[in-house]
Amino acid sequence: MERIARIRERLQAEQADVFLISNPVNRRYITGFTGSAGLVWISSTKQALLTDFRYVEQVKAECPGWELVRIETYSDTLEELIGQEGVRSIVFEEEYVTVKQLKEWQERFPSVELKGSSGWVETLRMRKTPEEIENIRRAAQIGDEAFAELLPTIKSGLTEQEIALRLEFLMREKGASAMSFAPIVGSGPQSALPHARPGDRILSYGDFVVFDFGCVWNGYCSDMTRTIVIGEPEEQHLLIYDLVLKAQMEALRAVAPGRTGAEIDAIAREIISEAGYGDYFGHGLGHSLGLEVHENPRLSKVDNTVLEPGMIVTVEPGVYLPGFGGVRIEDLVVVTEDGHEVLTSTFKELYVVK
Ligand code: GLY
Ligand code: MN
Ligand code: MN
């Protein structure tokens, strides 16, 4: 399989014998195993999933082609495998092994070189397969459909929490297995908090309301944001909304293979800064997603990754005015051979609750 072949190439380049995966998301990506405990062992001749009694049947069903090694303790099993294969060096995922775990391994296997690594699998995850894109597309559709059903029910007098609950219910009713993250519903001054938690604030006249949400379909996440206004918008509402929308659409238009995340981020940032609101757009323009809601590459000042077909990014500029409110608009976009395709289909004209 392509993914394992790429790992083996890296092992060869690093002159190491084994790559050990501890990150549960990477474990799923490489093996298909959706359980919550296990280690993946990849050497030049062996690909094995180490897990305990609870998951034996699940591994058989989910991981064809993988050798199942049932553990009593991970260290005992690792010691056996090291002996069987004559292993002299192991590359592990340094962000996902605790200091305690590493100390134990160093004590148990003093003759094995243990080398930390970062991003081996995450780099593979950046380019999505057609099947992964279809899962994300469906998750995005569910978000669109849920929001379309939610909108006509929104009125002043409801609380943020009530609305967030309805939104989650609608997505789950349509088949979502989980939320990508707890839905954000921020109204009035709360809409100026990019990651507002829905509370018991009652929606009222003059509020911007930011909805930022997504769901999981077949393991894959979606993510979208829309902002509406309660009652007739005033000049300030229209000014900020139009500014964010312009920045969003211009940046979106530029998404294509060969562009970098930093370039796309700069397009939106310049439009917002030139209008005098640069200080009120304090986060990156977007991020990739997949099995997790935040993945690489990022659309940000500091990410110079060159976009390639099959990568997916969000484009989500915002302007947040403390005490008044904020606007964010977020679409999901897949990079194609000759440009991009937008996966979010909800309209972006300002929606006014009368
Ligand atoms: N609130 C998560 C995101 O849009 O990135
Ligand atoms: Mn979002
Ligand atoms: Mn996002």
Side-chain angles (χ1 to χ4, degrees), residues 188-339:
Q190 286 297 104
S191 62
L193 279 57
H195 278 182
R197 275 215 303 267
D200 55 11
R201 189 178 181 283
I202 290 170
L203 269 54
S204 42
Y205 192 83
D207 284 353
F208 267 137
V209 188
V210 171
F211 302 83
D212 183 354
F213 57 97
C215 66
V216 180
W217 175 264
N218 206 12
Y220 284 81
C221 296
S222 64
D223 189 9
M224 66 178 278
T225 305
R226 288 295 183 267
T227 303
I228 67 168
V229 67
I230 311 288
E232 270 316 310
E234 289 171 11
E235 210 178 306
Q236 179 79 325
H237 290 111
L238 295 173
L239 194 145
I240 299 171
Y241 193 88
D242 289 347
L243 178 62
V244 173
L245 183 57
K246 181 167 181 233
Q248 204 268 351
M249 305 234 300
E250 291 296 322
L252 196 62
R253 218 193 308 276
V255 173
R259 305 298 298 265
T260 68
E263 283 168 12
I264 314 270
D265 178 280
I267 292 169
R269 207 164 295 284
E270 225 170 88
I271 292 170
I272 291 173
S273 297
E274 274 174 12
Y277 289 92
D279 288 344
Y280 302 100
F281 172 30
H283 57 72
L285 179 67
H287 53 91
S288 191
L289 50 56
L291 290 168
E292 290 178 290
V293 72
H294 294 124
E295 297 190 0
N296 289 332
R298 314 280 161 161
L299 303 186
S300 89
K301 285 179 199 168
V302 293
D303 197 329
N304 289 308
T305 307
V306 177
L307 297 181
E308 295 174 36
M311 289 181 173
I312 289 201
V313 288
T314 67
V315 178
E316 49 176 310
V319 167
Y320 311 92
L321 303 181
F324 175 72
V327 173
R328 179 166 64 259
I329 301 170
E330 174 179 28
D331 282 335
L332 208 47
V333 192
V334 54
V335 182
T336 59
E337 293 292 337
D338 52 5

Side-chain angles (χ1 to χ4, degrees), residues 78 96 118 121 138 162 191 294:
L78 287 174
Y96 298 92
S118 177
V121 180
R138 181 67 195 129
E162 283 167 329
S191 62
H294 294 124

Side-chain angles (χ1 to χ4, degrees), residues 34-50:
T34 61
S36 63
L39 275 179
V40 178
W41 171 285
I42 299 173
S43 67
S44 60
T45 54
K46 194 182 188 73
Q47 55 179 84
L49 184 52
L50 286 50

